[in-house]
RNA sequence: GCGCUCGUAGCUCAGCUGGAUAGAGUAUUUGGCUACGAACCAAAGGGUCAGGGGUUCAAAUCCCUUCGGGCGCACCA
């Protein structure tokens, strides 16, 4: 909001001088020279064939002559070859902070048009416990959901289980083959990788599994009953894990739920003459005349009659389109599936399904060798084990807090893992290092929580009696913190726009660093200047209130102690 | 073969709608607890932003190219 105010004033000055282009103000990258800066003099100069020096000096002189200059600025200067540096007034800072204090949504601008987002993340497979790969989609997806809501839009989230594909056929084959009657989680955990391997080795087994899958999809009673049992056992465990992560979904649909929409969808596709036969399978061509790259068709129905996930994804979009009319459908899915989504999205546009479809890819979780992460025994690490491992390391490193209760421990372990993951740019692969995920010093979850609790302790020990800040700022550390708090909308907006939670993580960290510096240099409890004490208490109250709200966006809770 | 993606400090990563002196954490060296919690703070060293070319007043950021890593390309998800 601070940037917007500055832009409004300065744009007006530009316009009054005959320069009609919108200019923008950005955070200064030279904090020794100013709080904010404008670099657009160069562009204006070029457009009007003028010397940047001339324009800059002209504009800055005008700004300095504004009647209300002192209300907004401490200093506005022009520096060669074409930068306007702005130092804002303490008055403005405090006025805006007071607005944040009064408003229950931190004085953030409300969205003018509320939109409905459909968010598809999670996507765990039935019959497979959640592993480290599921961590990213779950927490990135949940964070994006919370950011969109915080911004003021509506979201419907769907876990979208992988519950009807070949993997189920494989598990059922295994069950029948092993003559298993009591389906347990342990059994499922074991059978899936086994069958997966077997199918890769033995083509006949693969064919049999594929046949089972097809018959299941067609309603075979025996398979249906087994499938229901598998779902029941598996979903219970998946829910337990999501619950532990603080991740929740509005819908618990899966591929299987889309089946009743395949028929109407097929009719549309047929009416538009999009379905083609090829090698006994039904396909949809998605190649465009403008393509320079190879673009394989989407396989709509396999030659044996079974459907694949391209089809269920399409049917699901059709369902959401007709039922909910969302403005956007976002998929938080591994970046390696980008081709699949491009195919699906192209079919949608051919069908006239007019929704903004977007694949929000995320990078692979790799081990230190740069290959997808595996445990020493070569398996993917289960989420349960990951959390257990981090918890153990944490308990062993922090020997001083033996009395910490289990709930607080879980909160901290969650914070460690989530903050370690979410501070990365989601689009890039990253190295999964158990040690990094257990670290408690530096740019970590514990650092954030520790800062919050330290500040909170001061607040609890003192009595806050004021509701508004006066016009004073007492020193530079104080000022830096105040300005950082004003920049909330910068981080929210960029995180929302690019659907990247790491901007929020970065902002949280920045606030905490400034809080720590403030804490270290400004002692509050024994202050004799009671007015100053109250001002600072109020400032820290706002800071911690904001922190808590932002941490919530990243699913990080606050422990009672640490 | 076609295409996508990445390469930034010893290590792990930010920064990428182009802006002034490229930032964190960690590791290394050093200083700070009789303190509202030292899981902290302060300081130092550490960089040809993979190489080369181009566009621009200005490039880590945009374009081209070479090299190097990862990934995807018809009946898995």
């Amino acid at each position: 909001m601070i940037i917007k105010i500055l832009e409004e004033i300065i744009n007006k000055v530009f316009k009054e001088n005959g320069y009609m282009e919108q200019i923008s103000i950005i955070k200064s990258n030279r904090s020794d020279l100013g709080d904010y800066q404008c670099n657009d003099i160069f562009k204006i100069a070029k457009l009007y064939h003028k010397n940047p020096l001339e324009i800059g000096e002209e504009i800055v002189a005008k700004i300095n002559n504004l009647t209300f200059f002192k209300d907004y600025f401490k200093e506005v200067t022009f520096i060669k070859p074409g930068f306007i540096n702005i130092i804002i007034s303490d008055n403005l800072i405090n006025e805006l902070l007071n607005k944040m204090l009064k408003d229950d949504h931190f004085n953030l601008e409300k969205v003018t048009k509320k939109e409905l987002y459909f968010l598809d993340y999670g996507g765990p497979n039935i019959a497979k416990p959640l592993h480290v790969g599921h961590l990213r989609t779950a927490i990135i997806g949940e964070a994006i959901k919370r950011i969109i809501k915080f911004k003021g839009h509506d979201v419907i989230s769907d876990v979208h289980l992988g519950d009807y594909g070949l993997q189920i056929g494989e598990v059922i084959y295994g069950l029948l083959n092993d003559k298993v009657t009591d389906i347990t989680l342990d059994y499922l955990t074991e059978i899936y990788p086994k069958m997966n391997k077997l199918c890769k080795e033995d083509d006949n087994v693969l064919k049999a599994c594929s046949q089972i899958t097809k018959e299941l999809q067609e309603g075979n009673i025996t398979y249906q009953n087994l499938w229901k049992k598998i779902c029941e056992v598996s979903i219970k465990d998946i829910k337990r894990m999501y619950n532990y992560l603080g991740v929740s979904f509005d819908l618990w649909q899966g591929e299987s739920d889309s089946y009743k929409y395949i028929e109407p969808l097929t009719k549309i596709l047929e009416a538009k003459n999009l379905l083609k036969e090829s090698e006994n399978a039904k396909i949809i061509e998605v190649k465009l005349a403008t393509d320079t790259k190879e673009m394989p068709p989407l396989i709509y129905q396999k030659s044996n009659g079974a459907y694949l996930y391209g089809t269920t994804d399409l049917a699901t979009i059709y369902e959401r389109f007709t039922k909910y009319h969302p403005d956007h459908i976002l998929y938080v899915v591994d970046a390696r599936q980008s081709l699949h989504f491009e195919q699906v999205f192209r079919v949608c546009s051919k069908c006239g399904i007019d929704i903004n479809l977007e694949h929000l890819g995320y990078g692979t979780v790799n081990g230190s060798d740069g290959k997808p992460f595996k445990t020493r025994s070569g398996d993917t690490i289960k989420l349960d084990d990951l959390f257990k491992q981090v918890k153990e390391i944490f308990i062993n490193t922090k020997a001083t807090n033996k009395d910490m209760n289990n709930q607080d421990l879980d909160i901290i372990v969650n914070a460690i893992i989530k903050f370690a993951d979410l501070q990365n740019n989601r689009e890039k692969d990253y190295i999964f290092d158990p040690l990094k995920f257990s670290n408690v010093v530096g740019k970590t979850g514990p650092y954030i929580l520790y800062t919050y609790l330290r500040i909170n302790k001061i607040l609890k020990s003192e009595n806050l009696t004021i509701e508004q800040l006066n016009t004073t700022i007492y020193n530079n550390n104080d000022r830096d913190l105040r300005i950082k708090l004003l920049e909330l909308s910068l981080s929210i907006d960029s995180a929302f726009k690019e659907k990247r939670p790491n901007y929020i993580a970065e902002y949280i960290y920045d606030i905490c660093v400034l809080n720590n510096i403030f804490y270290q240099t400004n002692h509050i409890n024994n202050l004799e200047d009671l007015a100053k004490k109250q001002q600072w208490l109020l400032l820290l109250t706002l800071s911690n209130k904001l922190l808590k709200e932002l941490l919530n966006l990243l699913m990080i809770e606050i422990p009672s102690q640490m």
Side-chain angles (χ1 to χ4, degrees):
Chain A
M1 79 202 100
I2 173 69
I3 298 246
K4 230 171 189 176
I5 291 169
L6 297 177
E7 280 180 347
E8 207 168 295
I9 297 171
I10 291 171
N11 262 303
K12 208 172 158 213
V13 174
F14 270 90
K15 291 222 166 81
E16 281 167 4
N17 281 267
Y19 310 114
M20 304 315 283
E21 288 66 30
Q22 280 291 321
I23 57 98
S24 51
I25 303 294
I26 58 171
K27 176 87 183 154
S28 177
N29 47 26
R30 287 288 303 270
S31 54
D32 54 323
L33 299 177
D35 303 319
Y36 298 94
Q37 60 177 316
C38 171
N39 306 324
D40 292 351
I41 300 270
F42 293 110
K43 282 172 201 158
I44 302 283
K46 197 166 198 180
L47 270 167
Y48 291 84
H49 306 288
K50 278 193 173 176
N51 187 343
L53 289 169
E54 215 176 284
I55 300 178
E57 272 157 14
E58 174 192 358
I59 295 290
V60 166
K62 274 274 165 67
I63 295 172
N64 275 283
N65 277 333
L66 290 169
T67 51
F68 52 82
F69 180 85
K70 282 222 158 95
D71 296 335
Y72 290 84
F73 306 104
K74 188 179 274 174
E75 205 179 302
V76 178
T77 48
F78 176 74
I79 292 185
K80 284 190 279 187
F83 301 100
I84 297 178
N85 287 313
I86 301 164
I87 301 175
I88 58 177
S89 74
D90 291 355
N91 208 10
L92 177 64
I93 295 172
N94 287 332
E95 197 181 301
L96 291 172
L97 286 173
N98 278 332
K99 282 184 181 165
M100 281 179 87
L101 276 163
K102 247 193 266 173
D103 189 281
D104 57 4
H105 202 51
F106 302 102
N107 197 33
L108 281 174
E109 215 176 334
K110 296 214 167 57
V111 289
T112 43
K113 185 175 163 270
K114 211 175 191 183
E115 298 191 314
L116 176 60
Y117 284 79
F118 224 104
L119 209 54
D120 201 309
Y121 60 98
N125 278 338
I126 295 293
K128 225 163 115 182
L130 295 179
H131 58 78
V132 72
H134 290 110
L135 180 70
R136 299 211 82 191
T137 173
I139 62 181
I140 293 170
E142 178 74 19
I144 291 174
K145 177 177 94 180
R146 293 182 186 204
I147 290 165
I148 296 174
K149 280 188 176 173
F150 193 75
K151 183 73 190 158
H153 295 290
D154 290 323
V155 184
I156 299 174
S157 59
D158 181 9
V159 66
H160 210 71
L161 299 161
D163 64 351
Y164 230 38
L166 180 63
Q167 79 277 16
I168 301 298
E170 292 179 3
V171 170
I172 292 176
Y173 178 98
L175 280 169
L176 294 173
N177 207 42
D178 292 350
K179 298 192 169 59
V180 170
T181 46
D182 186 27
I183 300 172
T184 62
L185 194 64
D186 287 342
Y187 178 77
L188 291 176
T189 311
E190 210 177 290
I191 192 68
Y192 179 77
K194 231 195 234 168
M195 284 306 301
N196 205 352
K197 191 164 167 242
L198 192 58
C199 281
K200 274 181 193 151
E201 290 164 0
D202 189 334
D203 213 37
N204 288 326
V205 178
L206 178 63
K207 271 189 187 143
C209 293
S210 193
Q211 182 63 22
I212 293 172
T213 309
K214 185 205 158 201
E215 287 177 29
L216 169 73
Q217 292 175 355
E218 287 172 351
N220 177 307
I221 290 293
T222 315
Y223 296 158
Q224 281 282 330
N225 286 337
L226 284 172
W227 172 73
K228 277 178 193 153
K229 185 70 191 162
I230 296 168
C231 285
E232 194 185 307
V233 172
S234 190
I235 289 176
K236 194 177 157 202
D237 189 58
I238 290 172
K239 281 193 171 165
R240 175 190 62 82
M241 198 63 222
Y242 279 132
N243 189 42
Y244 183 71
L245 287 173
V247 171
S248 68
F249 299 93
D250 301 309
L251 301 175
W252 276 79
Q253 297 203 341
E255 294 168 332
S256 61
D257 291 291
S258 71
Y259 268 68
K260 44 184 176 293
Y261 298 92
I262 291 182
E263 202 188 316
L265 175 67
T266 306
K267 279 188 183 147
I268 293 173
L269 292 167
E270 279 169 349
K272 292 195 181 272
N273 206 17
L274 291 171
L275 287 179
K276 304 235 156 55
E277 289 253 350
S278 173
E279 297 171 33
N280 291 324
K282 282 189 182 155
I283 62 160
I284 304 172
E285 290 287 355
V286 290
K287 196 167 164 48
L288 298 172
T290 51
D291 279 339
T292 52
K293 57 185 176 185
E294 292 166 15
M295 177 55 71
L298 182 139
I299 296 175
Y300 191 72
Q301 191 173 21
K302 290 184 14 171
S303 48
N304 79 345
Y307 292 103
L308 300 167
Y309 81 139
T311 311
T312 59
D313 273 359
L314 281 171
T316 304
I317 292 173
Y318 175 79
E319 176 190 1
R320 291 171 184 169
F321 180 60
T322 48
K323 253 193 197 165
Y324 303 96
H325 311 288
D327 302 286
H328 307 262
I329 301 180
L330 311 180
Y331 293 85
V332 183
V333 179
D334 194 313
R336 284 175 293 188
Q337 294 198 32
S338 58
L339 179 61
H340 162 74
F341 284 108
E342 188 162 9
Q343 292 175 316
V344 169
F345 296 167
R346 284 185 181 202
V347 174
C348 286
S349 85
K350 284 189 172 201
C351 292
I353 293 178
D354 184 26
I355 309 177
N356 180 8
L357 299 160
E358 206 176 335
H359 171 209
L360 305 174
Y362 58 84
T364 315
V365 181
N366 289 332
S368 50
D369 56 354
K371 301 247 164 70
F373 186 82
K374 294 273 169 16
T375 60
R376 265 183 231 115
S377 58
D379 304 317
T380 51
I381 184 168
K382 282 191 271 176
L383 269 189
D384 271 320
D385 295 338
L386 168 63
F387 278 81
K388 229 179 270 168
Q389 194 182 330
V390 172
K391 195 166 172 176
E392 250 166 54
I393 297 175
F394 179 71
I395 290 169
N396 289 333
T397 45
K398 301 321 291 179
T400 47
N401 287 312
K402 287 269 191 289
D403 56 339
M404 196 179 285
N405 67 46
N406 197 46
Q407 195 184 349
D408 282 345
L409 273 175
D410 280 335
I411 287 175
I412 295 166
V413 169
N414 259 277
I416 292 175
I417 291 174
K418 286 167 181 167
F419 197 80
D421 186 297
L422 289 171
Q423 66 177 289
N424 291 308
N425 180 337
R426 72 167 156 80
E427 288 170 280
K428 289 207 216 173
D429 294 352
Y430 79 101
I431 308 263
F432 173 77
D433 176 4
L435 284 176
K436 179 186 175 184
F437 268 57
S438 312
N439 201 7
V440 299
V441 290
K443 196 171 181 177
T444 63
Y447 174 85
I448 309 288
L449 297 178
Y450 173 76
T451 310
Y452 181 94
L453 289 179
R454 280 202 333 188
I455 300 293
N456 210 32
K457 202 157 197 179
I458 303 175
L459 296 174
K460 274 187 181 160
S461 68
E462 297 285 343
N463 227 345
L464 179 68
T465 56
I466 59 168
E467 288 175 4
Q468 293 284 285
L469 294 167
N470 62 25
T471 54
T472 318
I473 293 176
Y474 298 91
N475 57 48
N476 282 340
N477 296 337
D478 178 358
R479 191 169 187 277
D480 290 345
L481 174 60
R482 294 188 199 222
I483 289 187
K484 183 54 77 177
L485 295 179
L486 289 183
E487 289 168 357
L488 169 67
S489 62
L490 280 181
S491 78
I492 294 288
D493 286 349
S494 45
F496 169 74
K497 197 173 148 210
E498 295 176 45
K499 311 292 183 287
R500 275 164 43 169
N502 66 308
Y503 289 128
I504 305 285
E506 192 66 36
Y507 183 58
I508 288 173
Y509 178 70
D510 286 348
I511 293 178
C512 285
V513 168
L514 292 173
N515 269 334
N516 266 311
I517 296 171
F518 184 87
Y519 177 95
Q520 212 84 22
T521 49
N522 300 302
H523 207 272
I524 290 186
N525 274 7
N526 50 17
L527 265 182
E528 281 176 16
D529 183 342
L530 293 179
K532 186 175 178 180
K533 190 179 198 175
Q534 284 298 320
Q535 292 294 310
W536 276 352
L537 286 174
L538 185 57
L539 176 64
L540 292 178
T541 301
L542 175 62
S543 172
N544 257 14
K545 189 181 157 204
L546 182 58
L547 266 183
K548 195 172 186 179
E549 195 82 26
L550 291 169
L551 284 170
N552 184 47
L553 296 180
L554 306 186
M555 297 144 280
I556 296 174
E557 294 177 68
I558 314 265
S560 61
Q561 59 159 336
M562 46 190 303

